[in-house]
């Protein structure tokens, strides 16, 4: 059974998770929702609501719903644009992901505030290892390589991982 790329929502500060190769493991993102107090949520701008909804729909496994919500926020929120690119990649829309990342400027204040870091997990063809793509500088380069069609094995070699 070939494993498909997926997003691991890492619970912790972004500085603690670097782009790397590691053994493939099964994971469950059940407890990583972005929880916003209801009273505060009501006051949020629409794009902030869409970002939270898109993030949480991904956790629920609703990729198309996640994509729809993240699209509403992608032009105003860097984290939403990044998550939108990741979800497009997982759905097989590599060209769309590549276009989203073409002029991307990373700003991670929402991920830092919520301690929710999306890690793209792309298994090797062998299935025993995976490329874990974080939001660090190496990860952004690795993700660009993925959108260009390079395999995780090729990226690991190119980047010396």
């Amino acid at each position: 059974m070939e494993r498909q790329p997926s997003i691991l929502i890492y619970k912790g500060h972004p500085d603690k998770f670097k782009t790397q190769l590691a053994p493939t493991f099964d994971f469950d993102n059940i407890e990583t929702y972005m929880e916003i107090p209801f009273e505060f949520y009501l006051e949020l701008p629409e794009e902030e609501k869409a970002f939270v909804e898109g993030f949480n729909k991904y956790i629920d496994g609703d990729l198309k719903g996640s994509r729809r919500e993240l699209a509403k926020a992608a032009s105003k929120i860097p984290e939403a644009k990044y998550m939108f690119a990741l979800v497009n990649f997982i759905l097989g829309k590599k060209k769309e992901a590549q276009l989203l990342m073409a002029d991307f400027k990373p700003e991670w204040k929402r991920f830092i505030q919520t301690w929710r870091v999306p890690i793209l997990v792309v298994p090797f063809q062998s299935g025993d290892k995976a490329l874990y793509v974080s939001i660090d500088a190496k990860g952004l380069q690795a993700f660009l390589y993925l959108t260009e069609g390079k395999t995780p094995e090729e990226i690991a070699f190119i980047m010396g991982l």
Side-chain angles (χ1 to χ4, degrees), residues 41-110:
Y41 183 82
L42 292 175
E43 302 295 320
L44 286 176
E46 290 305 310
E47 65 271 10
E48 294 282 352
K49 290 179 185 175
F51 169 62
V52 171
E53 288 297 314
F55 190 94
N56 289 341
K57 282 183 184 290
Y58 173 79
I59 302 297
D60 283 336
D62 180 3
L63 291 178
K64 290 182 180 175
S66 174
R67 184 174 182 262
R68 186 176 52 251
E69 292 300 320
L70 291 167
K72 296 175 189 175
S75 66
K76 295 186 178 175
I77 299 174
E79 293 91 343
K81 187 174 187 178
Y82 185 72
M83 281 292 293
F84 186 41
L86 293 181
V87 170
N88 274 309
F89 179 80
I90 289 173
L91 289 171
K93 300 175 183 301
K94 289 182 184 176
K95 195 47 102 180
E96 285 186 36
Q98 187 177 32
L99 290 171
L100 285 163
M101 297 305 292
D103 62 347
F104 185 73
K105 305 284 187 277
E107 294 176 29
W108 307 122
K109 68 180 182 180
R110 288 164 189 83

Side-chain angles (χ1 to χ4, degrees), residues 101-139:
M101 297 305 292
D103 62 347
F104 185 73
K105 305 284 187 277
E107 294 176 29
W108 307 122
K109 68 180 182 180
R110 288 164 189 83
F111 290 154
I112 291 167
Q113 287 167 354
T114 61
W115 287 47
R116 300 290 187 265
V117 182
I119 307 296
L120 180 64
V121 181
V122 188
F124 277 25
Q125 194 166 8
S126 61
D128 61 334
K129 290 183 188 170
L131 176 63
Y132 290 80
V133 180
S134 191
I135 59 176
D136 57 8
K138 269 189 178 177

